[in-house]
Each structure stands twice: as C-alpha cells, then as structure tokens.
Amino acid sequence: MAAQFGRRVVKGAATTAVAAVAVAALSASQAPGVTDTAQGRQSTGSQPSSDPDADNSATGNSPYYTDLPPLNSPTPTPTTGTGTPTGTGEAEAGIPATVLDAYKKAEAALGESKPGCNLPWQLLAAIGKVESGQARGGRVDANGTTITPILGPVLNGNGFARITDTDGGAYDGDTTHDRAVGPMQFIPSTWEWSGRDGNGDGKKDPNNIYDAALAAGGYLCRFGWDLSDKADLRRAILSYNNSTHYLNTVLSWLEYYRKGTHEVPDGTGTLPSGRSDDNNGSSSSPTPTPTSPGTTPPSSQTPGGGGSTSPSPKPPTTTPPPSTPPTTPATPTDTVDHLEDAGTATLTATAGDAFAEKIATRTETEAGKAVAKVRVRFTIVGDTDSVFTGGESVATVVTNSSGVATAPALKAGEKTGDFTVRATVVGRAVSGLDYKATVTARQADALARTGDTALTCVAGGEFADQVELKATYKGAAADGVEATATLIKAADDATANDKGPYFKDADGKTVRTLAGLKTDANGLLKLPKLYADDTAGTFLLRINTTGGATLTVELKVTAAPSSSPSPSAS
C-alpha cells in the first residue's frame, strides 16, 4: 500500500495543479505555519516526511476531495443540532451531528489513553472532510454506520497504488485488489491492526464513523507524535496520505474548523465535488459486494459523496479496443518469495526496560536476492504488555537497499514471560517469520537498610522505627522489584516463626509473612510497623527479592518491667 503520490493518473494533474494554486491563495488567511513568498503571498512550503512509515499510508494514498474551505471564516454558533445555517461559510462549517459526536468522542478517548498526543477533534473533522465529505454529508444510521459502504477506487496499479487483496474481500468486497473503505478511508491491511470499536458494540467496522474516527485518532497518535507540534502534525497527516497537496488541504480545513463549527442534522451536510483523481469518485469498475457481516453493497452512490459508483454507459468510440489488456508491471513486493532473519540477537529484557537488540528481517526472492522498497509489518503477538517505541503493538517498516527492515525498539512491559513478534510482508501472501522475546522479572542483586538504628522493643509493645531498605542491581537503584518479608525461626530455618515480633494485616490480625511487596522508583521499600508479643528474646526478619538479594535484620524484644509490690499496711 506504499504507492507514491506521483503514481496517480496523469489526468488528475490539471485538477491538482489548480487546487494547489487555490491552496496558496487560501493560505494567506487560513493555513498555519506559512511563510512569505517573493510575491507577497504565503505558502506552506511543507515537504513529505522522510519517515519510512509515511509510505505506509492509512489510505494507500487513495484519491481524496480537493475542495477548499470558503475564504470567509465561519461564525461560531450554538450547537443545537437543528436549523439550517445561512451563508456559504456557515454551511461549510456545519458537520452532521452523529459525525461530529464521533470526532469529539474520539478526541476524549485519545485524551485519556494518549494525553501526550494532544489530538484535536477538528483534525479528525478535516481528514473526514477530504476523505469522504463527512461520511457523504452524514448519511449514517443511529449507530453511526454509513447507509451504504463508502469505497475508494480499485487499487490495481492503473493510476493508483497496486495493492493485491489482503482481506479476502471482507471489507471492500474485492478479492483481487484492495480499496479504501469507510468515512475515514482505511485500506483493509491498515484497518486490520488499527481498527477500533468506538461505539462499544463489540465490532470494528470501518464503515462506522465512531469506529473509524477512533481508529484514525489512534493512527495519528502513534510513534509518540505530539500533534500540538507543527512538525509532528505534518508527519502524522502525511502518514495518512503521502501528498503535500493533501497535507495543505487538511491543514486548511483544520484551521477553518478551529474558527467555529456547528452541528447540522444527519444527511444534510454539504457534499464536496472536486477529487484529486478528477473523476468525482467514480471507479472504472463496478462496486463489489463486501462480505463482512452487516454491510450491503450500494446500488448507486450520491454523486460527489465519496467512494465509487456504478459506471455509466459510455458512447461507442471509433477506436477498437486492444486485443489484449495492458499488463501492470510487477512491484518489488510481487517478487518477494520469503523472509529471512537478518542477524537478530536473543531478545531478552527486564520488565520495564528497553530491549537492547532490535529485530531485523530481510525480504528475498526465490533465488535469495534481497528486495528493497518492500513494506514489512511487525506485530506483537501473545499475552504481553510490551510495545514498540511510541506505545504501539504494530509497526510497518520499508526495507532498505539491502532488503532489510529493522523494527523499532521494543520496550518490555510489566508482564513477564515469552511473547512473539511476527514479521509479514504487506500485500504479499508469504509465510511470516516469528521472533521469540522474553521479559524477565525486575531484580535486585543487593539489599541494605537505609539506617543503622538498633531495632528494639519491649514485650507487648511496638517497634518505634520501621524497617526501610534499598534494593540495587549492578549498583543502580532497582525499582519495581518484588520482595517478601518473613519473621523466621532461625538463621538456618526460614520457616515463619509462631512467636515474637509480628505485622498486622488490614483487619488487625497477626501475620509474620508479607508477600507481594515492591520497591518504589528509587529502589526503596518501607515495611509496615512491627509489634511484639509477650515473648522476650532476639528474633530475625528476612527479606528476599526477585533476583536473589537477601537481607536478614535482627530484632530484640526485652521483657516488660515487673511491677513493684505495694508496701504492706502498718
């Protein structure tokens, strides 16, 4: 799905050029981050991201709507959900109620799960505008699912990216090639890992605006991007569709929506008309029937409403058709026969730490020749909370000139044990390559008291000082290390004692073993208060940590003073 923008059909070049001029004119008042030109106008000057993942766009670099916002800024109005706005600017500022609600709910959800991303719902609205005209003007049902599926053109290499089928037609109804699907126009292979359930119905449906908006937000927030930063904002948008013109169009709508919007009834939103492929959304092939549950193919679609329509009959021409259809040149992906490990070392890390080694995979032909410019997807599989840098469980990387794709660094979570990282070729049915990774428990190799005050107590009383310890590993503070504290019978008998000092549980009952303790961020562990029964003597407290660190602390209990006999009466 890594087509470059330059591979689009030539016939769209004129439309794109005209739209680009319009963007430049509009930029003077609306496009953020602009610079002056020699003519006194302003232009964005943005360039495609050099990030390899930008080639792995959410949409497969499918066509999009090129309509620009009006030059007059919208006037904010109360969100009533009723009434018809007046004026071109106000009409364009209207967003269908359910669609607007989905954007705002996605912003709130990402605000909790990834607060550092600073995702504004207006960005989702801007992308939704250029991808599908806000779900064709809000043609959705009460649950947020589009009345008819929204499908982009067939990505068969004829003017667009060439993406062979990856979903068996489940989402797009096409078992030969892929198509972008839904109001946010995800290609099936991207939806496979980025899809979300935004409306809580237990399904991840790309044609549901709640699901699609949340997925789009998650896609834009990966790699630790902060969307309040202009550079990260541009990277994120370009990763959605790798085109500078697309970037400028989205930024223009983002700025427009930030100046004020209002909701309008579903189905009454304004519909865009201009498309980057200059065909108003029409496809040269009929709309297939998606096979996923709950979707029905459209018999026709609203003109200018996004996706494809059934082709109209064309008048006969005097030029006879070619005897054989043109063939599409093979892409590098088509030549991949298998995956090979490219020297990945043993993957082991302590919980919470980064793995020192990275996974490297090489794509090869049947003859063993390396293949460059192929997208390899790395997916974390298994019961683990380990992630790639940026907090994602999936990463797609383009192979270099040596045919090698190196996955982002892995960061171990808190769950210990083994998990798998699976490497697969995007858009090619070849066997995946599995890498085993192991997360070991946090550990300490030394344990010491932080103070040297003698720990004494009178029988029947309580110890004045609490025991505080510091755990270290290779000289550094060992945080998050599990420990167990036990009042033992003797130095050579680690059995819990049945007399002497004790701890209290939450109910005030006597306990002489505390399990599940854990050191803090500085490697410190402060034990609960100790008490003494009526037995005097010297007792031992032993603390063991994961990793083998052990410390035995001496506790002394003195007999309670005997009461003096009262003098006899004279």
Side-chain angles (χ1 to χ4, degrees):
M1 295 119 231
Q4 295 293 330
F5 181 64
R7 293 181 60 192
R8 291 201 175 96
V9 285
V10 176
K11 67 179 180 179
T15 301
T16 302
V18 172
V21 173
V23 170
L26 181 68
S27 297
S29 62
Q30 292 186 314
V34 293
T35 56
D36 290 333
T37 66
Q39 290 75 27
R41 296 284 185 122
Q42 294 177 312
S43 62
T44 61
S46 302
Q47 297 299 321
S49 168
S50 60
D51 187 337
D53 197 72
D55 287 340
N56 184 43
S57 67
T59 67
N61 293 332
S62 293
Y64 55 90
Y65 288 110
T66 56
D67 291 19
L68 296 169
L71 291 175
N72 55 311
S73 299
T75 301
T77 58
T79 303
T80 61
T82 59
T84 302
T86 59
T88 303
E90 291 186 4
E92 288 290 354
I95 299 177
T98 299
V99 177
L100 180 60
D101 183 56
Y103 295 150
K104 291 184 176 180
K105 280 185 168 57
E107 178 195 55
L110 270 300
E112 292 183 4
S113 63
K114 292 192 175 182
C117 176
N118 295 304
L119 170 75
W121 65 262
Q122 291 91 342
L123 176 58
L124 297 177
I127 290 176
K129 179 70 174 181
V130 302
E131 292 295 348
S132 68
Q134 311 297 18
R136 300 198 202 100
R139 293 183 62 221
V140 297
D141 62 21
N143 295 318
T145 302
T146 56
I147 302 301
T148 54
I150 300 176
L151 297 172
V154 177
L155 298 176
N156 57 7
N158 184 20
F160 310 109
R162 181 171 181 265
I163 305 176
T164 53
D165 176 58
T166 61
D167 66 330
Y171 295 118
D172 56 12
D174 193 327
T175 58
T176 304
H177 295 94
D178 274 349
R179 306 173 74 162
V181 182
M184 304 305 277
Q185 288 290 277
F186 280 94
I187 49 177
S189 61
T190 302
W191 183 262
E192 177 188 353
W193 62 265
S194 66
R196 301 287 189 274
D197 177 12
N199 62 353
D201 64 356
K203 297 183 294 183
K204 299 176 182 179
D205 182 1
N207 277 299
N208 181 278
I209 185 59
Y210 288 99
D211 295 357
L214 184 59
Y219 187 92
L220 294 166
C221 285
R222 68 204 197 289
F223 302 127
W225 284 332
D226 177 1
L227 301 183
S228 66
D229 177 81
K230 289 183 179 179
D232 279 359
L233 176 63
R234 285 176 166 80
R235 293 187 187 100
I237 295 172
L238 285 167
S239 79
Y240 211 89
N241 191 314
N242 191 20
S243 157
T244 302
H245 180 265
Y246 179 89
L247 168 70
N248 294 339
T249 306
V250 170
L251 288 175
S252 296
W253 281 106
L254 169 61
E255 189 70 7
Y256 182 77
Y257 285 139
R258 276 176 166 164
K259 292 179 179 178
T261 61
H262 59 275
E263 68 178 45
V264 297
D266 290 343
T268 65
T270 58
L271 298 176
S273 56
R275 293 267 293 185
S276 63
D277 57 347
D278 197 26
N279 66 0
N280 289 328
S282 298
S283 171
S284 59
S285 61
T287 300
T289 304
T291 59
S292 56
T295 59
T296 55
S299 57
S300 64
Q301 297 185 6
T302 304
S308 6
T309 64
S310 299
S312 302
K314 295 183 179 180
T317 62
T318 57
T319 303
S323 56
T324 58
T327 59
T328 304
T331 65
T333 300
D334 295 328
T335 67
V336 176
D337 176 75
H338 59 273
L339 295 172
E340 288 287 344
D341 177 39
T344 304
T346 302
L347 298 167
T348 303
T350 301
D353 292 345
F355 283 76
E357 299 294 333
K358 291 184 178 181
I359 297 171
T361 301
R362 184 170 54 254
T363 53
E364 296 183 353
T365 64
E366 185 176 4
K369 182 180 178 180
V371 185
K373 298 182 179 179
V374 173
R375 281 166 294 125
V376 175
R377 177 173 298 136
F378 298 95
T379 306
I380 297 175
V381 181
D383 184 16
T384 181
D385 54 354
S386 296
V387 294
F388 291 114
T389 301
E392 302 298 328
S393 60
V394 178
T396 302
V397 180
V398 179
T399 57
N400 60 19
S401 58
S402 300
V404 176
T406 302
L410 278 167
K411 187 177 188 303
E414 295 302 320
K415 290 185 178 179
T416 60
D418 298 334
F419 65 92
T420 298
V421 177
R422 181 164 298 150
T424 55
V425 177
V426 178
R428 180 76 170 158
V430 298
S431 299
L433 189 60
D434 287 352
Y435 296 85
K436 178 184 175 182
T438 303
V439 178
T440 59
R442 296 170 184 258
Q443 54 188 307
D445 56 15
L447 198 59
R449 282 187 63 195
T450 58
D452 55 6
T453 305
L455 298 169
T456 62
C457 177
V458 176
E462 60 184 52
F463 287 81
D465 296 309
Q466 290 177 247
V467 179
E468 186 180 60
L469 313 161
K470 182 167 185 177
T472 56
Y473 183 70
K474 295 182 180 179
D479 63 308
V481 175
E482 292 190 359
T484 300
T486 306
L487 292 148
I488 61 175
K489 289 185 175 181
D492 57 355
D493 186 354
T495 306
N497 212 335
D498 55 3
K499 58 183 178 181
Y502 61 92
F503 299 106
K504 288 183 179 180
D505 64 11
D507 297 324
K509 296 180 180 179
T510 298
V511 292
R512 290 189 168 89
T513 297
L514 294 177
L517 304 172
K518 188 173 290 188
T519 60
D520 66 13
N522 298 313
L524 298 175
L525 173 61
K526 194 169 189 176
L527 300 182
K529 184 173 289 188
L530 278 162
Y531 302 87
D533 61 14
D534 57 2
T535 307
T538 299
F539 300 90
L540 299 177
L541 169 64
R542 180 164 293 169
I543 304 96
N544 298 303
T545 68
T546 305
T550 300
L551 179 67
T552 302
V553 178
E554 190 175 84
L555 307 172
K556 290 186 177 181
V557 179
T558 59
S562 59
S563 58
S564 301
S566 58
S568 58
S570 54

